[in-house]
Amino acid sequence: MASDEEDQDRRKPRSVYGVGDEPDARFSLANERTALAWMRTGLALVAGGVALTTLAGVADLPVFVDVMAALVCLGGGLVAVSALIGWHRVERALRLALPLPAPRILVGVGLGIVVLALVFAGYAMFEALQR
């Protein structure tokens, strides 16, 4: 059976598992669940972008809709990357018994949703006035 030190040497990423002490498993698992929830959010944004561009192609909508769909897909990718970075930051803090870092992703996602809502509301108003 491998010792705890040998186990730590095999776990990756070393930048996380190679520092500090093993935290309570409940906290590590909660951090992992949070990261996975953000991953699902990113995946939902990508799926929404794909659905939007598919609808734009079928309904012969303007190029603007395709551009917005691409931005939504890119936003989903950014959320996924941010989830990985956030998991890394929190796991290191847990292992080093440091205060947990503030989540950086919340402000960006919140502002992104507000901007997206305003842009699509403006687009809907513009289209309504054109009829």
Side-chain angles (χ1 to χ4, degrees):
M1 185 163 185
S3 70
D4 287 341
E5 198 170 297
E6 289 174 356
D7 196 32
Q8 273 189 333
D9 287 341
R10 284 187 265 142
R11 292 171 74 188
K12 296 200 180 357
R14 294 281 303 135
S15 59
V16 170
Y17 296 115
V19 299
D21 299 317
E22 193 70 25
D24 186 329
R26 294 173 293 176
F27 301 129
S28 285
L29 292 172
N31 184 33
E32 184 178 333
R33 283 191 302 272
T34 301
L36 290 171
W38 281 112
M39 290 285 192
R40 286 190 302 271
T41 301
L43 182 60
L45 286 169
V46 171
V50 169
L52 192 56
T53 196
T54 302
L55 176 65
V58 171
D60 198 32
L61 297 174
V63 173
F64 167 80
V65 177
D66 285 314
V67 170
M68 291 305 296
L71 291 175
V72 170
C73 286
L74 289 173
L78 288 174
V79 168
V81 168
S82 184
L84 287 173
I85 292 169
W87 169 83
H88 188 275
R89 292 173 60 229
V90 170
E91 193 66 28
R92 278 185 60 91
L94 288 171
R95 297 183 69 79
L96 296 171
L98 297 172
L100 295 180
R104 295 178 182 168
I105 191 172
L106 288 176
V107 173
V109 169
L111 289 175
I113 290 171
V114 169
V115 167
L116 194 63
L118 290 173
V119 167
F120 273 113
Y123 173 73
M125 293 291 288
F126 176 78
E127 287 295 315
L129 292 174
Q130 295 297 316
R131 293 183 215 177

